[in-house]
Amino acid sequence: MNLSAAIAKMILEGLEIDGQIELQRNELAQQFGCVPSQINYVISSRFTPEQGYMVESRRGGGGFIRISRVKLGKGALLMHVINNIGQSLDEKTCRAHLLNLKHQSIIDKNSADLMLAATSDKALKLLSDHTREETRAIIFKNLLLAVSKA
Amino acid sequence: MNLSAAIAKMILEGLEIDGQIELQRNELAQQFGCVPSQINYVISSRFTPEQGYMVESRRGGGGFIRISRVKLGKGALLMHVINNIGQSLDEKTCRAHLLNLKHQSIIDKNSADLMLAATSDKALKLLSDHTREETRAIIFKNLLLAVSKA
DNA sequence: GGGTCAAAGGTCAGTAATGGTCAAGAGCCC
DNA sequence: GGGCTCTTGACCATTACTGACCTTTGACCC
């Protein structure tokens, strides 16, 4: 397991307790024997709003970084996602949406896997870039709608 | 035995253990004294979904390629369907397959609904008839595969 | 209050470490 | 010879890590 994964794991464990964790950047970096900015890297790559996290911080003496898991209602969240998709959707963003929804227990693993399969680049490989991303957006919206009706 | 066969053999042996193997592309290439892309060739020619394998990978530091054998059982039936779909699939036939699978309790209602949503004409409305039916076939196969590994 | 300084955290660009794609050529079998 | 499968290499994309430099905040002093 690489450094980033280890740091992410530790943060995740801290979040288990009450969905929120407050940490000291320098201290954490020292624990892992890495440069402080590594912490920023991990946070910005794995604890984004897209993935269901909120990050706050303060500099200066007694500074901190606080990461919290955000909680929203199921129908609202689905609608929010649908409404924010737009006409076109790339695979990475789609995957992030799914991870987020799964993490928040809006959809179960099984559904997430299916939705991933249906919207992967692999599944849409015949299409040109532009058409693929437009079609992915439509398929994904249809899927979310199907979920919200279930 | 040629290189590709040797590499495939090694992967197959690794899969024996627990139906899953994780490898380092560069490292493996070095072991066989070939270019890294040779590994991709072997994987894409012999470890395809059609042949019952699932491949995942990640780039970057600590990257990997993971190959897993799709579990059989009800999987066998799914593979049978997958292998009989062909290159092209119309909405009616697709729907029939789904009803059939649901009837046989191979998939649950929830999954069937999702799969229907992903393969409906509505979801693929942007595409020309020909492309739509080819893409539907691919999506459906990917979905069945996802189900079979669940 | 205002100045100063030390203690946080933030940004960004560069480098390293992987894997992916594609097209061209080499071999092999009919 | 034609058409496969196999190999290779150049070039690309993604993820991880580091370090130099920047900004913000709080404490202390006058």
Side-chain angles (χ1 to χ4, degrees):
Chain A
M1 180 157 65
N2 60 33
L3 228 194
S4 293
I7 296 172
K9 180 157 172 273
M10 163 153 209
I11 293 176
L12 243 10
E13 280 165 9
L15 280 166
E16 291 278 302
I17 303 167
D18 64 346
Q20 176 160 316
I21 182 178
E22 201 166 299
L23 45 87
Q24 238 65 41
R25 190 180 76 149
N26 289 338
E27 186 191 299
L28 190 57
Q30 207 164 17
Q31 258 181 67
F32 282 96
C34 64
V35 292
S37 58
Q38 176 73 23
I39 307 300
N40 295 83
Y41 170 69
V42 172
I43 291 175
S44 63
S45 65
R46 301 171 197 216
F47 294 90
T48 65
E50 198 85 319
Q51 287 167 101
Y53 299 95
M54 177 176 54
V55 179
E56 304 159 280
S57 67
R58 199 158 78 214
R59 310 186 185 193
F64 61 83
I65 300 177
R66 182 163 49 224
I67 303 174
S68 358
R69 199 170 258 154
V70 300
K71 261 294 198 306
L72 290 183
K74 174 171 170 170
L77 222 155
L78 281 171
M79 280 310 168
H80 183 257
V81 175
I82 290 175
N83 289 326
N84 277 278
I85 286 175
Q87 304 261 230
S88 181
L89 180 65
D90 65 52
E91 189 186 43
K92 220 163 112 183
T93 307
C94 185
R95 181 184 301 265
H97 279 309
L98 282 170
L99 275 176
N100 185 17
L101 290 169
K102 189 171 74 178
H103 220 223
Q104 299 184 255
S105 305
I106 304 299
I107 59 179
D108 60 27
K109 178 180 185 317
N110 192 46
S111 300
D113 286 347
L114 283 179
M115 294 168 79
L116 204 52
T119 56
S120 65
D121 273 347
K122 221 168 76 184
L124 307 174
K125 64 183 174 189
L126 291 186
L127 315 182
S128 69
D129 287 5
H130 186 251
T131 310
R132 176 166 54 243
E133 308 222 328
E134 289 198 341
T135 294
R136 181 176 1 251
I138 298 174
I139 292 176
F140 194 44
K141 286 179 195 171
N142 271 276
L143 285 167
L144 292 174
L145 222 45
V147 166
S148 75
K149 284 195 298 212
Chain B
M1 180 158 65
N2 63 29
L3 227 194
S4 292
I7 296 172
K9 180 156 173 275
M10 163 153 209
I11 293 175
L12 245 8
E13 280 165 9
L15 281 167
E16 292 278 302
I17 302 167
D18 65 345
Q20 175 160 318
I21 182 178
E22 200 167 299
L23 46 86
Q24 237 64 42
R25 189 181 76 150
N26 289 339
E27 186 191 298
L28 191 57
Q30 207 164 18
Q31 261 180 64
F32 281 95
C34 64
V35 292
S37 58
Q38 177 74 23
I39 307 301
N40 295 82
Y41 171 69
V42 172
I43 291 175
S44 63
S45 64
R46 302 172 197 216
F47 294 89
T48 65
E50 272 78 8
Q51 288 166 97
Y53 298 96
M54 175 178 54
V55 179
E56 303 158 281
S57 68
R58 199 159 80 215
R59 311 185 185 192
F64 60 82
I65 300 177
R66 182 163 48 225
I67 304 174
S68 354
R69 186 173 265 146
V70 173
K71 281 221 181 46
L72 255 23
K74 76 176 183 187
L77 220 162
L78 286 167
M79 289 314 287
H80 185 257
V81 176
I82 290 174
N83 288 324
N84 279 278
I85 286 174
Q87 304 260 233
S88 182
L89 181 65
D90 64 52
E91 191 186 40
K92 223 165 107 181
T93 308
C94 185
R95 185 185 300 265
H97 278 308
L98 282 170
L99 275 175
N100 195 7
L101 289 169
K102 194 169 71 177
H103 244 207
Q104 299 182 256
S105 303
I106 304 296
I107 58 178
D108 60 26
K109 178 181 185 315
N110 190 45
S111 298
D113 286 348
L114 281 180
M115 294 168 78
L116 205 52
T119 55
S120 65
D121 275 345
K122 212 170 90 184
L124 305 175
K125 63 183 174 189
L126 291 186
L127 315 182
S128 69
D129 287 4
H130 183 253
T131 309
R132 176 166 53 243
E133 309 221 327
E134 288 198 340
T135 293
R136 184 179 356 253
I138 299 174
I139 293 177
F140 193 44
K141 287 179 194 172
N142 271 277
L143 285 168
L144 292 174
L145 216 50
V147 166
S148 75
K149 72 185 184 200

